[in-house]
Amino acid sequence: MAEEEFTDINGNSISLDCQTHSDFCREFTVTSPKLSLRKVMVYTCFVWLFAYAVFFFTENTAVLSSAIILTLAGMMIHIHFVKVDHETLLIIGSLGVQLSSSYASGRESTIFIEMNKLKDIVINEAVYMHSIIYYLCILIKDPADPETVTSVVPLFQSSNPRLNCLVQVYRSCQEILAQSR
Amino acid sequence: MVLKLFFPQCCNTADSGLLVGRWIPGHNSAVVLAVIHYPFIPGQVKKYLSELQSQTQVDLTVLGSWSMPKEGQEGMDSFLKDLSTIFPQECWLQLSREIGKRGFTCQVVQNNGRLLQDREQKNGEGDKIILIHYDQRKVMLSQLHPVQDVGQKSDVEASELRLVFQTVAQSQPLFFLDKYDDGPLKLSHWQSEGREASIIAELLKQASVPVCIFLTWLLSLWYWFCMVLKMLFISSKLSTCVQSVYRAVHFRTVFSPKKAGTHVEFMRKANIFVSFLVDIALGLLLISWLYRENRISKLADTLVPVADRVAKELQELLEWLMGAPAGLKMNRALDQVLGRFFLYHIHLWISYIHLMSPFIERILWYVGLSACLGLTFALSVLSDIVALLTFHIYCFYVYGARLYCLTIYGLSSLWRLFRGKKWNVLRQRVDSCSYDLDQLFIGTLLFTILLFLLPTTALYYLVFTLLRLVVVLFQGVIHLSVDFINSFPLFAIGLRICRPYRLAEGVKFNVLCQEPGTPLHLMMEINPLKCSSVLQCYRTPTYSCYPKDSWAALCKKLFVGELIYPWKQKTDKTD
């Protein structure tokens, strides 16, 4: 197990956790910063003050109850569908690669890619507005046609770690992929 | 190379015995399906396996031995080693588990007697074996998506997981004999945890065949009747007839006595059946609401006054158009002609409605009963009633559109004449042409007349087109809801919610806790299909009403004055 201090592309601090289960099985977990309580309080106060101002002019209590319901619904949707807690990459030599995103409410969404569909794991660069972003991605091939890349699956989309973190993950993955070839 | 072993969870606590399963071709892996316990006669084991092989088309073999020694059972090891000579294999697996420990130990003996383990110890690496635990019952019942036809791809190209799922699903006859049966062989598999059966399900299965035959005979009569109706032109316009034909076709698929072969056929049958039941239930609910407190008579009583009111509104509209509508100045003579023409039509229509009014209540009462055939029928009937009641609006629209169309074509052709050009029909282009003086004179005169009459015809056309579009929109909404009820795969969604392992998108792996010296243990779980993929995959194809033209084409047609039929229904023939 190894934990170091890394940051993501926006400057927030994230953490990388590498677990080696066996020679050919490794698991990498990138944890995003948690939901900030201050932001939640600011948003809630803003919405409720606005609703109270509208109520002051219209004298309709439905405005207040709808503001409460809206805030609750918005928070539930945010933690269930939007806020990612940690992302995991599990690589098992000669079996495949598993990507999993775990949301703040505990929901997990998993994809498993078999080894015969996996061509390579590489670090790509992308130009986004004024900055160049590095991202780790998996190249997928069709087993019938091994030379063409049919699609690209980017990893760690919500946590967006920087190059130093990506290089560590890349080196570990390449060791395992080299064994299974 | 890494050896992958798929081991069922139900055999974790089985007594010692032989491992029965299949080697997956092309991938260095094996699936364990059951454990045969001691005592057994090797000849009988071989005979049983060859019988099952011919029955299931799966090449089952003895993979190796499984030992979970209890107290007083020492000395098994040498016995197990001797077994490998009785069942000659390329690779013989020796799995063993000690009570109190969670990990298994696995040794693989190659044909030439070399142990895999020996090689590893020289290099200082651990075993290169992965043990993947799976839930046998769930994997047996599950279907991997995207669904591929059996025999479409050769085994070698198919993915490993797909082959594992196929192997377990096809080996169902293996799971009929159990260790509690009085037979020569005692097996352990998922049924050992408790045989599942239901008397009601068995009785229903037995009863379903004669019921299906009877229903098919009934439905063939209905289908013949619908085909006869289809011959009439008017029935293809009535959406009720279209809906009934569509339902008849569906029921033929559902109630045919042949059992569904593939997964896709089974899901389609189940979806149609469940949606039909829900449709009938909703229809009966609607009937009970309509006929309670005699609401249907009240509805019939309000129908004639509503039709009267609509006609009166149309009359007022025409009076307004005949005056100076919105401050525009109309051509008085043409205005009066068109206005009187349409007013006379409305007068005819009102007399017709008044003639029909005593019978309307009876007709509506009987027509309302047809909702027992389903909510979709009731909605189709409603759409047809609306179409019949607004028939005069449709007629006015056709008259106005034709007049306007003629005006526009005339104007465009005479404009070309005005400029000295002509439309060449052969070459489909505009050519210059020299006209005689009298041709030019008449042409210019007609052009001027048409141009000054254009605002009047355009206004009438605009008003009636808007009315027609309102009616078309309403009918479109009804058709969309009928289409939705027809095509929604209720059974598939219910299966996804209640038994999510049956529709699998893929698998998930969890690493189980490690003990040093044991191979890697993984837990394989089924990753269910997303709800949106379920809808996309299992949507029943319908005669869906979709807009025939794009927005641009529609606007162009409206401008030129062509008659528009915005909703096109997909027919059986490819257009």
Side-chain angles (χ1 to χ4, degrees):
Chain A
M1 280 212 228
E3 285 204 39
E4 291 166 45
E5 280 305 311
F6 293 105
T7 58
D8 73 355
I9 53 175
N10 296 323
N12 308 319
S13 84
I14 56 173
S15 66
L16 172 71
D17 181 23
C18 309
Q19 262 187 313
T20 309
H21 297 290
S22 149
D23 276 349
F24 44 86
C25 176
R26 290 201 190 142
E27 191 171 356
F28 306 97
T29 310
V30 175
T31 317
S32 307
K34 305 269 189 243
L35 201 59
S36 140
L37 196 62
R38 186 153 38 117
K39 263 195 185 170
V40 169
M41 299 282 286
V42 163
Y43 278 136
T44 317
C45 287
F46 182 70
V47 171
W48 284 355
L49 279 175
F50 179 71
Y52 197 73
V54 172
F55 170 69
F56 186 68
F57 288 115
T58 60
E59 302 288 333
N60 190 1
T61 51
V63 171
L64 291 177
S65 26
S66 65
I68 293 176
I69 293 175
L70 207 74
T71 328
L72 280 175
M75 249 197 292
M76 289 206 289
I77 290 177
H78 185 77
I79 61 174
H80 196 71
F81 291 108
V82 174
K83 179 86 188 91
V84 169
D85 190 43
H86 58 261
E87 292 173 295
T88 312
L89 172 71
L90 172 70
I91 177 161
I92 307 170
S94 85
L95 193 61
V97 172
Q98 176 170 291
L99 318 168
S100 154
S101 303
S102 168
Y103 292 86
S105 63
R107 176 174 84 101
E108 281 206 24
S109 101
T110 320
I111 306 172
F112 180 73
I113 302 169
E114 291 181 66
M115 205 43 113
N116 60 355
K117 288 210 182 70
L118 192 145
K119 186 156 195 256
D120 206 356
I121 299 184
V122 294
I123 298 184
N124 257 352
E125 322 179 288
V127 180
Y128 180 66
M129 303 274 243
H130 52 272
S131 51
I132 297 181
I133 303 177
Y134 296 97
Y135 61 98
L136 195 64
C137 59
I138 298 182
L139 303 176
I140 309 274
K141 68 170 194 241
D142 188 17
D145 187 9
E147 294 309 312
T148 13
V149 175
T150 52
S151 59
V152 170
V153 176
L155 304 177
F156 303 126
Q157 285 278 277
S158 310
S159 20
N160 288 318
R162 287 203 174 175
L163 192 60
N164 45 6
C165 181
L166 292 179
V167 163
Q168 207 170 345
V169 176
Y170 170 78
R171 287 212 181 106
S172 284
C173 290
Q174 287 295 331
E175 279 170 21
I176 295 186
L177 287 181
Q179 281 176 9
S180 63
R181 283 211 190 105
Chain B
M1 277 290 275
V2 181
L3 176 69
K4 289 159 273 190
L5 212 59
F6 290 85
F7 196 76
Q9 267 185 306
C10 44
C11 295
N12 277 351
T13 50
D15 292 332
S16 316
L18 281 178
L19 292 170
V20 168
R22 181 191 183 207
W23 286 98
I24 308 278
H27 305 93
N28 197 19
S29 46
V31 179
V32 174
L33 292 167
V35 175
I36 300 183
H37 298 295
Y38 308 119
F40 58 83
I41 304 174
Q44 278 186 333
V45 170
K46 288 185 193 168
K47 195 174 96 168
Y48 180 62
L49 284 180
S50 60
E51 266 174 26
L52 277 177
Q53 226 172 321
S54 55
Q55 206 179 351
T56 61
Q57 320 295 328
V58 174
D59 43 350
L60 297 166
T61 49
V62 175
L63 296 172
S65 67
W66 161 250
S67 88
M68 183 150 133
K70 298 199 169 60
E71 301 89 38
Q73 273 190 345
E74 294 88 14
M76 273 295 200
D77 285 344
S78 52
F79 178 57
L80 293 170
K81 283 209 184 75
D82 295 336
L83 276 175
S84 63
T85 50
I86 306 177
F87 298 100
Q89 300 288 336
E90 264 186 32
C91 248
W92 180 261
L93 302 165
Q94 286 175 352
L95 283 175
S96 64
R97 182 185 179 185
E98 286 161 45
I99 306 176
K101 272 198 179 175
R102 292 185 60 183
F104 301 174
T105 45
C106 181
Q107 294 176 7
V108 182
V109 182
Q110 303 270 9
N111 207 2
N112 45 15
R114 268 190 354 188
L115 275 174
L116 253 180
Q117 222 182 10
D118 271 344
R119 265 191 301 157
E120 260 70 71
Q121 276 173 0
K122 272 195 222 148
N123 299 342
E125 296 165 359
D127 289 347
K128 292 254 194 188
I129 299 171
I130 308 181
L131 265 161
I132 302 172
H133 296 263
Y134 69 96
D135 188 333
Q136 203 167 42
R137 181 174 157 264
K138 289 191 178 166
V139 169
M140 186 180 79
L141 290 172
S142 147
Q143 169 71 38
L144 265 184
H145 292 77
V147 182
Q148 279 173 355
D149 287 331
V150 175
Q152 203 179 43
K153 275 191 175 175
S154 65
D155 270 346
V156 180
E157 276 183 16
S159 77
E160 192 177 359
L161 286 172
R162 204 170 272 275
L163 288 171
V164 168
F165 274 66
Q166 259 175 26
T167 309
V168 180
Q170 281 173 347
S171 316
Q172 289 218 15
L174 179 64
F175 305 131
F176 289 163
L177 269 189
D178 200 355
K179 70 181 178 199
Y180 302 112
D181 287 328
D182 287 330
L185 295 172
K186 306 216 178 290
L187 290 144
S188 255
H189 40 71
W190 67 272
Q191 296 268 34
S192 318
E193 289 171 7
R195 184 82 48 109
E196 290 190 2
S198 156
I199 291 192
I200 300 178
E202 295 299 316
L203 281 175
L204 277 176
K205 275 189 207 162
Q206 295 298 322
S208 66
V209 174
V211 167
C212 276
I213 296 179
F214 175 64
L215 280 170
T216 319
W217 176 80
L218 265 183
L219 283 164
S220 58
L221 286 178
W222 181 10
Y223 190 64
W224 171 86
F225 180 62
C226 286
M227 285 292 117
V228 164
L229 264 186
K230 217 173 161 179
M231 294 300 138
L232 302 169
F233 168 74
I234 192 155
S235 64
S236 66
K237 298 289 173 201
L238 285 176
S239 53
T240 319
C241 299
V242 176
Q243 171 74 3
S244 64
V245 165
Y246 166 74
R247 274 281 186 228
V249 167
H250 264 189
F251 295 152
R252 281 182 119 199
T253 30
V254 171
F255 289 120
S256 70
K258 201 162 60 82
K259 201 164 136 68
T262 62
H263 171 84
V264 174
E265 277 176 30
F266 167 69
M267 290 300 283
R268 181 161 299 175
K269 267 193 170 187
N271 278 330
I272 294 175
F273 186 62
V274 171
S275 89
F276 172 61
L277 281 181
V278 170
D279 199 16
I280 300 266
L282 286 174
L284 289 174
L285 215 71
L286 183 71
I287 285 187
S288 77
W289 178 80
L290 269 181
Y291 285 81
R292 197 185 307 168
E293 298 162 21
N294 222 1
R295 279 209 187 93
I296 193 112
S297 317
K298 286 192 207 147
L299 213 70
D301 286 337
T302 58
L303 210 63
V304 173
V306 162
D308 263 346
R309 176 102 192 287
V310 169
K312 209 149 116 28
E313 296 281 332
L314 269 177
Q315 267 176 334
E316 280 177 23
L317 183 72
L318 283 167
E319 305 277 341
W320 180 67
L321 281 177
M322 279 178 12
L328 296 167
K329 194 145 190 286
M330 299 273 108
N331 180 294
R332 178 146 298 270
L334 184 63
D335 216 358
Q336 295 284 329
V337 162
L338 286 176
R340 292 232 180 90
F341 177 63
F342 290 132
L343 276 173
Y344 181 62
H345 263 82
I346 293 180
H347 171 76
L348 280 178
W349 184 256
I350 292 286
S351 345
Y352 175 65
I353 295 270
H354 280 251
L355 203 72
M356 286 277 293
S357 61
F359 307 112
I360 289 216
E361 194 190 322
R362 273 289 110 188
I363 294 177
L364 213 63
W365 203 90
Y366 286 117
V367 161
L369 277 182
S370 77
C372 72
L373 289 170
L375 186 68
T376 46
F377 262 84
L379 286 173
S380 315
V381 164
L382 178 69
S383 161
D384 285 337
I385 289 179
V386 164
L388 282 174
L389 283 181
T390 57
F391 189 63
H392 51 323
I393 294 182
Y394 175 63
C395 286
F396 290 172
Y397 164 71
V398 172
Y399 299 150
R402 283 274 181 249
L403 205 61
Y404 177 75
C405 186
L406 277 173
T407 320
I408 290 288
Y409 272 116
L411 271 175
S412 59
S413 154
L414 290 172
W415 171 246
R416 278 185 228 118
L417 177 138
F418 197 65
R419 285 162 48 225
K421 300 212 186 288
K422 188 180 83 156
W423 175 253
N424 191 338
V425 182
L426 201 63
R427 305 259 178 164
Q428 298 287 312
R429 66 171 188 208
V430 178
D431 281 339
S432 63
C433 169
S434 63
Y435 290 101
D436 296 335
L437 196 64
D438 46 352
Q439 280 175 331
L440 278 177
F441 179 66
I442 303 266
T444 314
L445 203 66
L446 283 175
F447 176 73
T448 329
I449 293 174
L450 280 178
L451 186 67
F452 288 133
L453 289 180
L454 183 66
T456 316
T457 44
L459 193 72
Y460 274 91
Y461 172 66
L462 185 74
V463 167
F464 292 133
T465 309
L466 284 173
L467 285 174
R468 171 82 185 136
L469 283 178
V470 165
V471 172
V472 159
L473 213 70
F474 182 65
Q475 277 193 307
V477 164
I478 294 184
H479 283 159
L480 274 175
S481 50
V482 165
D483 191 42
F484 176 73
I485 298 178
N486 275 339
S487 70
F488 192 70
L490 262 179
F491 180 73
I493 295 281
L495 205 63
R496 167 67 183 83
I497 292 175
C498 303
R499 303 252 188 279
Y501 56 83
R502 297 261 326 238
L503 304 169
E505 192 181 22
V507 292
K508 287 193 270 218
F509 288 99
N510 271 337
V511 180
L512 298 174
C513 66
Q514 276 295 95
E515 279 168 19
T518 57
L520 181 68
H521 287 265
L522 295 172
M523 176 73 207
M524 182 172 93
E525 282 164 358
I526 295 184
N527 202 9
L529 204 57
K530 284 195 278 270
C531 283
S532 52
S533 316
V534 171
L535 281 176
Q536 210 180 353
C537 204
Y538 290 109
R539 211 175 148 267
T540 324
T542 62
Y543 62 97
S544 59
C545 293
Y546 58 94
K548 189 159 72 159
D549 303 307
S550 62
W551 285 112
L554 195 69
C555 285
K556 182 172 174 286
K557 276 195 179 168
L558 280 175
F559 184 69
V560 170
E562 268 180 50
L563 290 176
I564 50 171
Y565 297 100
W567 304 107
K568 181 182 164 196
Q569 287 182 347
K570 258 199 286 207
T571 53
D572 291 329
K573 304 187 272 275
T574 50
D575 289 329

